[in-house]
Amino acid sequence: MASNNVFPAFIRTEIEGGNAFAQFTAQGEDAAATFTRHFRGAAADVSRLVEKALAAPRNSFGALDLGTGKFREAAQAAEQRAAALRELATATSAMAAKEGELTSAQQAHIAATHQAAAAAEMDAQKKREQASMYDRFQAELNETAALMNRGAAATGAFAHAQGVQTQATGAQRMAMIQGSQQFQDFIIQVQAGGRPLTALSQQGSQLAFVLSGLEGKTGSVARFFAGPWGVAVFAATAVLGGLVTSLFDAGDAADDMGERQSALASMVDFTTGRIKDQISAVQALAEAQRQGQALEEARERYRASRSSIIRQGLAAGRPTVGAAEFGLRAQYGQDFQPAQRTSAAELQIRRLTEQYQRAEIDANRFGQAVDRIGKADPSVRRLTDALVELSSNTVTAARDVGRTEAAIAVLSGTATDAQRNLLRTLNATSGSAQARSVNNLIEAESKLATATTARERAQARLQVVQAKQGSITDQNSAEARRYRDELDGANRELQSAIAAERGAAEARREARAASAEARKAAREAAKEERELERALIATLRAFDPAASAARDYAEALGRIAELQAASAIDEVTAATYRSAAAMQAFDAETKAGQQHRAEVLQRLTPYFTSRMDQPLADIRRGMESAGAAAGDALRDSGLQAVDAIADALGGKLGRTVSAVIALLSTAEVGGRGAGMGGLLGGLGVAPGARGPMVDLPAGGTITLPRIAGGFEQGLVGVFNPLRTAINDLAGGIHKFLARNDSLAETLGSMAGHGMLGGIAGRMTGSGTAGAIGGVLGGVAGKAIGKALSSSLGSLGSAMGPIGSIAGGLLGGALGGLLSSTPRASSTIGVGPDGRLQVASTTGSRSLQAGTIGAADSAIATIERIAEALGATILPGVGAVSIGQRKGNWMLDPTGRGQTKEKKGAINFGQDANAAVRAATLDLIRDGILAGLRAGTQRLLQNAKDIEAGLSKALRFESVFTRLQEHLDPVGAAIDRIDKEFSGLRNVFQEAGASLAEYSKLEQLYGIERAKAIREAGERMTSTLRSLLDDLMVKNDAWSLRDRLAMARQAFDPLADAVRRGEQVDAEAFAEAGRNMLDIMRQLSGSTSAYFNFEDELRELTSSALSERQTLLDEASKRAPLMGGANDNGPVIGAIDHLGNYIVSELGGHLHAVNINLGRLIAQGGGAGGGRAFEFDLGGHNF
Amino acid sequence: MSGTSVTIGRPGQFEQFRRFAVRALEQASLRATDRAAREAVRNIRADMRRAKLGRLGNAIGAGSDKAKTGAVYRRGKEEFSASGWLHIRGRSERTLGVIEAYTEGADIRPRKGAWLWIPTQQVQQKVGRQRMTPALYQKAGFEERLGPLVFIQRSPAEAWLIVENVSVDKFGRHGRRARRLPKSGRARGARRKADFVVAFVGLRRTSRAARIDPTTIIAAAAARVPDFLGEELAKEI
């Protein structure tokens, strides 16, 4: 069974390194624990030192005793010493002046004495100032203590007031309770049927007594009613209560009467309705009776008519009685029957009459038949007229009877469907105008009820209105006017409905047209997009390094196989070559894979940075919110603690504490914290920027082993600096506190130097805010959240009362810093090498990776567009910045790196691709692409969407390209090569290619250019050449010998060159050889001349092939096969083609050869001796 | 001051994110490998059509985890793999051989004997469903119906098997095979007598060059997987 080395083939993605998230959590917990441990240690130090400061001695004012008396004593001592030294110096000078002449030693002594006096005076001055300052400071402390004492006194007064208020509250409570009971008694009394005013008079006095204990206006009023006036008022109320009750009773009676009247009216209405119903029933009964009577009358008329018609019919059939007959009848009586003399018409009438009598025909038919007879025979016309009239009356009477019966049945509710239909039909056809009007109204109402469209409803409503016209008798009445109004309204409504329907139809047509146009536009857009995508994919595939490497490898294998098939190399050499080719292919594919990985990484990064981290962003916002809340709480607590410290230590000194801690935050923490915040702040937006995410080994298997691994490495890379930074922070605090073993001394020193500041300003302006906020805001993880939650939650218990200071400061920092805005921006501009690249990047380092990736995408897009359009990039023309702010992608068209909308940046939300597209378009609008047609430039610059603009530009450019291919194929080919190699030159420049590599590129350019020119030229001239060949060598009009001579003219120089071992155009040689072979076959057939030439051609071909093989071998020794410098593929292909041609020709002539051999055998001779034979061509052109 | 208890973050957010990320990657991987496999088989079929191999490309099929099970193969909590594949749909040796010949090239040699015999148009091309061979010629009775085969070595690399004394079409029209000569020795109608016809042409070997390169196509499709993955991730997120 055949085997296949290709199939099955697998394309696989593998995700490995699955503990990334677990490691992330563990590292977060570790970092949080470290942070907590160090923070607790530092806080304990702070607590200890501040407690030591608070344990300082107090003076009589209760303030901190600074010992100012000692300072003053020291100042006095210094002053005394300075005065003594000054006196000594003065005395020494005076003594020297008296002596007149001084030695150098005396002069030095005098100078030293003056200097010592001056120094002592300065020292005394300093000590005085110091003592003065300490006095003032002590005064401040004393004043503060006094204020605190006064505050305590005020607090005592407040406590007393609170006691009074408490008593008042108790009284109020009791009053409310008793008052409620009084109200309850009042309600119970009223509910029990007592009079309200009476109850009020009884309960009101008690209520007033209860409320009299209250303060304020309520108490005053209550006390009034509890007094003599209250007795009078309530007594009067008790008297008036009866009167008011009577008044209420009268009102109730009136209400009852009204209700009963209403009930009576309802009963009257009810009774009236029943009476109306009864009257209607009576009227219906009367109508039924009347109808019944009419029915009886109609039946009677019918019977009478029928009897009459029978009688008259009989009479009509009887002959005229003459006088004689009369006499005879008179003689014999009525039974006398004379001989009958009847006509045929009379007989017919008689027969019809008999049939009618036997009820074989009805009156209507009878009348019609009789009428026909009468018209045919005038002699019986009088009789027939009478019979027709009678029959007509009979029919009318019968109809009346049927209608009456149907009407009765309808009224009695026993009507059948047939009777109802009959009645409806009769009413409609022969009824009165009023009945028709009613029917029309019913029909119209029915239509109105069942109408489904506005137009149908309007029409039905118009019919309803029109149907009402019949009931109007007076055209000038109000009813008629209302009818006309209704008619006009219905007409207007109908017209409006018709117009609306037309409008809707028109709108539908327009909508359909618009929809069709939209669909068409969408189809065209989709088509353009597909074409563009196909073009881009084809371009990418053509330039795909991996595919190129695979092609090179396949070609190398093919060449090796050819050489081996031609026995030019043995199996061992072939294996060596294959191995070398495989190694080279592996290297190339590995390199291509690495490059592709880098591209993929770059393309995938925005997905992670802009979209996949949305949950992280949510967590981050939650952390910020929670952190801000925690910070606020801690800050408030801290402020309270600081206030307490300030109260305890004195105003200025207390503020000094704030200044110290603010300084601590600024000096020691701020710098580190800022960097640390940036590190963790960007965690959620650039995880994939570290480590390989995609691994693409060569071959048919694709693995993506470490996307999560890369994420993990990224997190590790983020957390390690975080842990270090936190350690540094804690260590910094610790060292700072360790250096200052006594916080009291520190405070004193700072107070001495006047370093006082406002705590609030320091807190809000602290650099620590950005640091810690960044830290906490950036940490995205449940574990971190838990750890911080527990550590912050236990902060107070860990640090004691002094912890509130640090807690407050930290809280303030948290509150201020969790709102810090993470942002970064990358600006596309001119790089050091003059190429377009990311010129600068600012902002958060963690966000920079994302912005750089986006900027690189925009640059890559620009480069692809330039390559596709053959444009030149002018790097210095435009600049644009892509940034991120608060998780949103921002674009600054000015290239200044702004990320605020109010400063001109454009917000693209979470859509990084939109920002990249906009950046690309902005650069194009800046005119960064040069060398384009003005129209192409306009299409690109005016495009609202980069893809659409590029599609239009490509189509626009394709017109000129295609036209040039028609008009100037060679120029078009050269342009194509130039465009391709222009792009390659950029690639070489980007790769930093060496001079030798540039020379290779130049060499390839020369070869490709020559090839393009040759191919284009051949396309231009091939037809003419073919025509010329058809006219000369291949022209049957020429004799075979002439054609052979022409072919030989072309063949011989090439053959001579081959014999001389020179390089010839293999295709030309093959073509000339084919022509020669063909003509020789026709001219010489299967004679030795043909076979001799065939042998010669084979020998020459083998020689040429051998020459090529020699070159190939030499080239193989010089350089690896993958170099591709000696491409003998066309030669080998041409030779193979020639060989195939020979074989096919052999096969094609097989049949004729059969015949010719038969002829030879039949002629009994050989084919030698130069004897010519006539061969049966057998349909072949030999 | 008493202690302050602060709770930061919402429980489960990170776990939700982890699950979301893994799931998104799984689904995107499934679709990406499926797309890659389908694109590869589409391109292979197109190349086969361009190489004048007709519908031979239909013998190549594609499958994927997405189409087969709709799920990835998980290993552990977050590791997984997703695959697409290409395979030969038929199991017949002929199909496998043809695909191998045109995808990898083939050197065709006789399995037994020294000659690879190719029937000419003068003899019947097939017997039943089997291609005509000299052995089948004898077995099917053509020696009695047409005549015995006579071996003639044309060159070291070529030989003929001829049949003597047959009738052939007078005008050499295509598709008119040789027939037995009537006993009278004279052909009738539109046929004429031929002293012999070549029934088989013998070759030492022949070869078929590879016309398509599925390895390159599959590699190109595989190289597109990251692109597909990115696109699918964009849909997923």
Side-chain angles (χ1 to χ4, degrees):
Chain A
M1 181 154 176
S3 63
N4 196 290
N5 296 326
V6 179
F7 300 102
F10 291 88
I11 300 173
R12 179 174 296 129
T13 62
E14 293 183 350
I15 307 300
E16 297 176 351
N19 59 346
F21 289 98
Q23 287 192 8
F24 170 76
T25 305
Q27 300 233 356
E29 290 173 347
D30 188 18
T34 304
F35 175 78
T36 304
R37 190 170 61 253
H38 286 281
F39 196 85
R40 283 182 174 174
D45 290 342
V46 172
S47 176
R48 192 168 54 253
L49 292 173
V50 174
E51 282 177 351
K52 187 177 178 182
L54 288 176
R58 305 293 175 125
N59 59 12
S60 59
F61 292 93
L64 193 67
D65 189 0
L66 299 179
T68 54
K70 294 178 181 177
F71 288 107
R72 282 197 299 274
E73 290 173 359
Q76 288 174 358
E79 286 175 351
Q80 290 171 359
R81 182 170 175 271
L85 286 174
R86 176 59 60 194
E87 289 175 1
L88 177 61
T90 306
T92 306
S93 298
M95 184 181 68
K98 287 178 181 176
E99 289 179 357
E101 189 173 343
L102 296 177
T103 64
S104 59
Q106 288 173 332
Q107 289 177 354
H109 177 72
I110 292 170
T113 306
H114 280 283
Q115 285 180 355
E121 286 170 355
M122 287 183 65
D123 182 53
Q125 175 67 20
K126 286 176 64 177
K127 287 187 175 177
R128 274 199 307 274
E129 291 176 354
Q130 190 176 25
S132 174
M133 189 271 292
Y134 274 92
D135 283 341
R136 290 197 302 274
F137 191 46
Q138 185 66 58
E140 286 287 340
L141 286 175
N142 295 340
E143 184 183 349
T144 303
L147 286 173
M148 285 184 64
N149 292 333
R150 286 199 295 275
T155 304
F158 180 67
H160 175 70
Q162 277 189 327
V164 173
Q165 185 181 5
T166 304
Q167 289 178 358
T169 304
Q172 184 181 15
R173 179 171 173 275
M174 290 304 297
M176 289 302 294
I177 293 171
Q178 294 182 5
S180 300
Q181 290 174 349
Q182 294 301 326
F183 274 114
Q184 194 174 8
D185 293 342
F186 171 77
I187 295 299
I188 291 171
Q189 192 171 349
V190 170
Q191 285 178 342
R195 294 173 179 173
L197 284 180
T198 305
L200 178 63
S201 63
Q202 291 174 355
Q203 303 297 334
S205 58
Q206 297 177 18
L207 180 63
F209 176 75
V210 168
L211 297 179
S212 61
L214 295 179
E215 297 295 331
K217 292 182 179 178
T218 306
S220 302
V221 173
R223 282 190 289 275
F224 171 77
F225 280 105
W229 284 103
V231 174
V233 169
F234 288 118
T237 303
V239 173
L240 289 173
L243 296 175
V244 173
T245 305
S246 299
L247 282 174
F248 286 159
D249 290 344
D252 293 342
D255 292 342
D256 288 344
M257 184 176 179
E259 290 176 358
R260 292 182 182 183
Q261 282 179 338
S262 176
L264 179 62
S266 301
M267 288 302 295
V268 168
D269 290 343
F270 177 74
T271 307
T272 304
R274 297 302 300 265
I275 290 172
K276 284 182 179 176
D277 294 342
Q278 192 174 8
I279 291 171
S280 299
V282 170
Q283 287 175 343
L285 178 62
E287 178 66 16
Q289 288 175 347
R290 191 180 62 76
Q291 294 283 356
Q293 187 176 358
L295 174 64
E296 286 302 321
E297 291 174 355
R299 282 180 174 165
E300 189 61 31
R301 282 200 301 277
Y302 174 71
R303 281 195 291 271
S305 298
R306 190 174 182 86
S307 301
S308 173
I309 196 169
I310 292 170
R311 276 199 308 275
Q312 291 188 27
L314 291 174
R318 190 171 297 155
T320 304
V321 179
E325 290 179 10
F326 186 77
L328 290 173
R329 186 171 296 172
Q331 185 177 355
Y332 297 104
Q334 290 297 325
D335 294 331
F336 173 75
Q337 295 292 336
Q340 293 181 352
R341 292 181 288 105
T342 55
S343 64
E346 289 172 345
L347 288 175
Q348 286 181 0
I349 291 171
R350 178 184 293 272
R351 192 162 51 249
L352 287 170
T353 304
E354 289 171 356
Q355 288 179 352
Y356 178 71
Q357 200 167 12
R358 291 194 301 269
E360 293 177 359
I361 57 175
D362 57 18
N364 193 16
R365 192 172 170 189
F366 173 75
Q368 291 174 354
V370 170
D371 187 45
R372 282 197 297 272
I373 294 170
K375 288 177 180 175
D377 188 355
S379 62
V380 295
R381 185 61 182 262
R382 188 173 60 86
L383 174 60
T384 57
D385 288 344
L387 290 174
V388 167
E389 184 180 355
L390 284 172
S391 64
S392 175
N393 292 336
T394 303
V395 170
T396 302
R399 283 180 179 169
D400 290 342
V401 170
R403 175 189 296 170
T404 305
E405 283 180 345
I408 290 171
V410 169
L411 287 173
S412 61
T414 59
T416 63
D417 292 340
Q419 286 175 323
R420 276 194 287 271
N421 291 333
L422 172 65
L423 193 60
R424 191 179 302 118
T425 306
L426 291 175
N427 288 337
T429 56
S430 62
S432 64
Q434 184 176 1
R436 282 198 300 274
S437 174
V438 171
N439 288 333
N440 291 339
L441 184 59
I442 291 170
E443 292 291 334
E445 292 284 359
S446 175
K447 284 183 181 177
L448 180 61
T450 57
T452 56
T453 65
R455 183 173 183 173
E456 288 177 0
R457 276 195 295 274
Q459 285 176 334
R461 193 167 289 115
L462 179 62
Q463 288 180 4
V464 168
V465 174
Q466 288 173 338
K468 291 178 181 174
Q469 183 187 18
S471 63
I472 299 172
T473 54
D474 186 1
Q475 297 298 322
N476 295 323
S477 64
E479 186 182 11
R481 286 194 295 274
R482 190 165 57 250
Y483 163 75
R484 284 193 290 273
D485 291 342
E486 289 181 358
L487 187 62
D488 292 342
N491 273 319
R492 281 197 299 272
E493 186 181 358
L494 178 59
Q495 296 304 321
S496 175
I498 292 172
E501 194 173 2
R502 286 177 182 164
E506 184 66 24
R508 281 196 297 274
R509 275 197 299 276
E510 292 178 356
R512 281 197 297 272
S515 176
E517 288 183 1
R519 285 197 300 272
K520 185 180 177 184
R523 283 198 302 272
E524 290 179 352
K527 185 180 176 185
E528 289 177 358
E529 189 177 355
R530 284 196 299 273
E531 289 176 353
L532 178 61
E533 188 178 1
R534 274 200 295 272
L536 284 176
I537 289 172
T539 306
L540 289 175
R541 287 186 62 184
F543 289 97
D544 182 10
S548 175
R551 280 198 299 273
D552 291 343
Y553 180 52
E555 289 174 4
L557 290 181
R559 270 181 272 156
I560 293 169
E562 289 169 1
L563 292 174
Q564 195 176 2
S567 301
I569 55 176
D570 56 11
E571 179 58 34
V572 176
T573 308
T576 306
Y577 286 163
R578 277 197 291 271
S579 175
M583 288 296 293
Q584 194 160 352
F586 178 75
D587 290 342
E589 288 183 359
T590 304
K591 188 176 178 183
Q594 289 171 351
Q595 182 182 350
H596 194 64
R597 276 199 296 276
E599 293 174 357
V600 168
L601 192 63
Q602 184 179 343
R603 287 200 296 273
L604 288 182
T605 296
Y607 296 115
F608 281 98
T609 56
S610 65
R611 302 183 182 188
M612 199 152 183
D613 292 315
Q614 184 60 37
L616 277 178
D618 294 340
I619 294 172
R620 174 183 180 139
R621 280 195 290 276
M623 291 285 291
E624 287 176 354
S625 175
D632 290 343
L634 289 171
R635 181 180 55 193
D636 293 342
S637 301
L639 285 174
Q640 291 172 8
V642 169
D643 288 343
I645 291 291
D647 290 341
L649 297 181
K652 292 182 179 177
L653 188 58
R655 288 194 290 275
T656 305
V657 176
S658 307
V660 170
I661 299 179
L663 186 66
L664 162 70
S665 306
T666 306
E668 295 293 327
V669 187
R672 290 194 189 90
M676 193 168 60
L679 281 172
L680 270 189
L683 171 66
V685 291
R690 301 165 184 82
M693 290 175 61
V694 183
D695 188 15
L696 303 175
T701 300
I702 289 294
T703 59
L704 294 171
R706 291 197 181 279
I707 284 185
F711 188 63
E712 167 196 339
Q713 291 178 13
L715 295 179
V716 171
V718 168
F719 260 92
N720 284 337
L722 163 67
R723 191 160 48 187
T724 305
I726 291 176
N727 290 337
D728 290 347
L729 170 62
I733 295 172
H734 186 73
K735 287 176 183 175
F736 175 79
L737 296 173
R739 279 202 305 273
N740 301 275
D741 56 353
S742 169
L743 185 59
E745 293 177 5
T746 305
L747 298 180
S749 172
M750 290 185 176
H753 290 81
M755 294 182 65
L756 304 176
I759 187 170
R762 285 292 194 178
M763 288 177 69
T764 54
S766 170
T768 315
I772 301 179
V775 171
L776 294 181
V779 173
K782 179 175 64 178
I784 293 288
K786 279 183 179 176
L788 285 182
S789 171
S790 60
S791 61
L792 292 177
S794 59
L795 198 60
S797 59
M799 300 171 65
I802 307 305
S804 59
I805 301 174
L809 292 175
L810 179 60
L814 288 171
L817 288 181
L818 288 176
S819 60
S820 64
T821 304
R823 60 180 180 275
S825 177
S826 293
T827 301
I828 301 173
V830 188
D833 57 353
R835 293 170 54 78
L836 190 66
Q837 63 183 41
V838 179
S840 63
T841 302
T842 60
S844 169
R845 273 180 290 175
S846 56
L847 294 179
Q848 286 181 4
T851 59
I852 290 173
D856 285 341
S857 296
I859 293 171
T861 307
I862 286 288
E863 289 176 347
R864 280 202 295 273
I865 292 172
E867 189 173 343
L869 296 175
T872 306
I873 297 176
L874 301 178
V877 171
V880 66
S881 301
I882 300 177
Q884 270 194 299
R885 181 183 180 84
K886 295 180 181 179
N888 292 331
W889 285 92
M890 314 298 291
L891 178 74
D892 180 14
T894 63
R896 294 177 299 169
Q898 298 290 350
T899 56
K900 281 188 176 179
E901 289 183 76
K902 65 181 181 183
K903 292 188 177 179
I906 304 168
N907 190 346
F908 289 90
Q910 305 292 321
D911 194 351
N913 289 334
V916 171
R917 284 197 295 272
T920 308
L921 200 56
D922 185 74
L923 287 171
I924 292 174
R925 284 173 181 157
D926 287 344
I928 200 167
L929 295 178
L932 296 175
R933 288 183 174 80
T936 310
Q937 193 77 267
R938 274 195 296 276
L939 284 173
L940 288 173
Q941 292 181 346
N942 296 334
K944 294 180 179 177
D945 181 71
I946 185 63
E947 286 85 356
L950 181 59
S951 172
K952 290 178 182 175
L954 285 172
R955 283 192 294 156
F956 182 73
E957 283 288 332
S958 70
V959 172
F960 305 102
T961 309
R962 285 155 53 194
L963 180 62
Q964 191 184 17
E965 285 177 353
H966 287 298
L967 300 179
D968 182 12
V970 177
I974 292 173
D975 285 349
R976 192 178 64 251
I977 293 293
D978 287 348
K979 185 183 291 186
E980 178 187 348
F981 276 79
S982 175
L984 284 174
R985 192 166 53 228
N986 292 334
V987 172
F988 269 54
Q989 185 179 355
E990 190 175 351
S994 64
L995 192 60
E997 289 168 334
Y998 270 110
S999 68
K1000 295 291 182 188
L1001 177 65
E1002 190 65 28
Q1003 185 180 4
L1004 178 63
Y1005 172 71
I1007 294 171
E1008 293 282 344
R1009 190 170 186 273
K1011 181 182 175 185
I1013 294 172
R1014 186 176 70 249
E1015 288 177 353
E1018 284 177 356
R1019 281 198 297 273
M1020 289 177 65
T1021 60
S1022 61
T1023 306
L1024 298 176
R1025 285 180 186 277
S1026 175
L1027 176 61
L1028 187 61
D1029 288 344
D1030 289 344
L1031 292 173
M1032 300 298 290
V1033 178
K1034 297 178 181 176
N1035 189 358
D1036 293 339
W1038 295 88
S1039 71
L1040 284 172
R1041 296 188 185 283
D1042 290 338
R1043 289 168 58 194
L1044 181 64
M1046 295 175 200
R1048 189 170 289 284
Q1049 285 179 359
F1051 176 76
D1052 283 347
L1054 296 171
D1056 290 341
V1058 172
R1059 289 190 193 97
R1060 288 193 300 270
E1062 297 175 356
Q1063 294 293 319
V1064 296
D1065 186 342
E1067 292 184 6
F1069 174 75
E1071 179 66 21
R1074 274 192 216 100
N1075 287 336
M1076 282 290 295
L1077 200 64
D1078 188 27
I1079 295 172
M1080 286 292 291
R1081 165 63 75 183
Q1082 295 180 49
L1083 183 64
S1084 305
S1086 296
T1087 62
S1088 58
Y1090 169 74
F1091 290 111
N1092 289 339
F1093 177 74
E1094 190 182 39
D1095 293 340
E1096 178 190 358
L1097 183 59
R1098 186 181 297 114
E1099 188 177 333
L1100 285 170
T1101 305
S1102 299
S1103 175
L1105 182 60
S1106 174
E1107 289 293 330
R1108 300 280 171 157
Q1109 188 58 51
T1110 303
L1111 289 175
L1112 183 60
D1113 291 344
E1114 290 176 357
S1116 303
K1117 292 171 185 173
R1118 285 200 305 271
L1121 280 169
M1122 291 303 294
N1126 301 310
D1127 187 4
N1128 62 347
V1131 177
I1132 296 174
I1135 293 169
D1136 280 353
H1137 194 186
L1138 180 59
N1140 291 336
Y1141 177 79
I1142 293 171
V1143 172
S1144 66
E1145 282 298 306
L1146 283 173
H1149 299 313
L1150 203 55
H1151 177 69
V1153 171
N1154 290 336
I1155 298 170
N1156 292 335
L1157 285 176
R1159 283 288 175 85
L1160 286 172
I1161 295 169
Q1163 291 176 1
R1171 181 179 177 185
F1173 292 93
E1174 278 191 280
F1175 293 126
D1176 188 335
L1177 300 180
H1180 288 271
N1181 187 16
F1182 265 73
Chain B
M1 174 188 169
S2 60
T4 303
S5 177
V6 180
T7 301
I8 298 176
R10 286 173 291 177
Q13 284 277 341
F14 191 78
E15 177 62 17
Q16 286 180 13
F17 165 69
R18 188 192 67 76
R19 292 179 184 173
F20 161 78
V22 173
R23 183 193 165 281
L25 206 52
E26 284 181 358
Q27 295 301 317
S29 300
L30 279 173
R31 289 200 293 271
T33 50
D34 181 67
R35 283 178 63 184
R38 284 191 281 113
E39 181 179 285
V41 79
R42 193 164 57 242
N43 289 336
I44 287 174
R45 288 175 180 175
D47 277 12
M48 284 188 166
R49 283 196 297 273
R50 280 194 289 273
K52 301 185 187 305
L53 295 180
R55 291 179 293 178
L56 183 61
N58 290 341
I60 309 295
S64 66
D65 285 336
K66 176 178 178 292
K68 189 177 180 183
T69 63
V72 301
Y73 286 88
R74 293 192 177 85
R75 298 190 295 270
K77 198 172 180 182
E78 294 159 8
E79 295 182 353
F80 65 87
S81 71
S83 302
W85 56 81
L86 291 89
H87 57 88
I88 298 174
R89 298 169 73 183
R91 292 176 178 270
S92 87
E93 190 173 355
R94 180 179 177 83
T95 303
L96 293 174
V98 170
I99 290 176
E100 182 185 359
Y102 286 114
T103 57
E104 301 176 21
D107 190 13
I108 303 172
R109 299 171 184 269
R111 284 194 296 188
K112 54 184 180 181
W115 300 96
L116 183 68
W117 292 109
I118 301 167
T120 67
Q121 295 295 324
Q122 295 293 345
V123 297
Q124 191 169 314
Q125 298 290 304
K126 285 188 175 180
V127 179
R129 298 183 61 182
Q130 291 182 297
R131 191 169 170 81
M132 175 67 84
T133 64
L136 203 57
Y137 183 93
Q138 293 177 346
K139 184 179 177 182
F142 281 98
E143 286 196 330
E144 291 77 20
R145 289 158 57 186
L146 188 60
L149 297 171
V150 177
F151 178 79
I152 295 176
Q153 178 137 4
R154 167 77 173 151
S155 72
E158 187 179 343
W160 293 343
L161 287 174
I162 65 171
V163 182
E164 294 180 321
N165 294 323
V166 294
S167 74
V168 297
D169 187 76
K170 184 181 286 184
F171 308 107
R173 289 173 291 189
H174 185 75
R176 305 295 174 100
R177 300 192 184 96
R179 294 181 195 166
R180 187 177 59 185
L181 197 63
K183 291 181 179 177
S184 63
R186 295 168 61 186
R188 290 171 295 185
R191 304 188 71 82
R192 60 176 177 75
K193 178 174 179 287
D195 295 319
F196 70 92
V197 292
V198 177
F200 292 90
V201 175
L203 301 173
R204 296 291 190 185
R205 50 175 279 194
T206 183
S207 62
R208 293 290 179 273
R211 297 190 189 179
I212 65 164
D213 186 2
T215 304
T216 302
I217 295 171
I218 294 169
R224 298 253 297 148
V225 168
D227 287 342
F228 293 153
L229 189 61
E231 293 171 8
E232 298 300 334
L233 271 178
K235 295 176 188 172
E236 193 68 29
I237 296 170

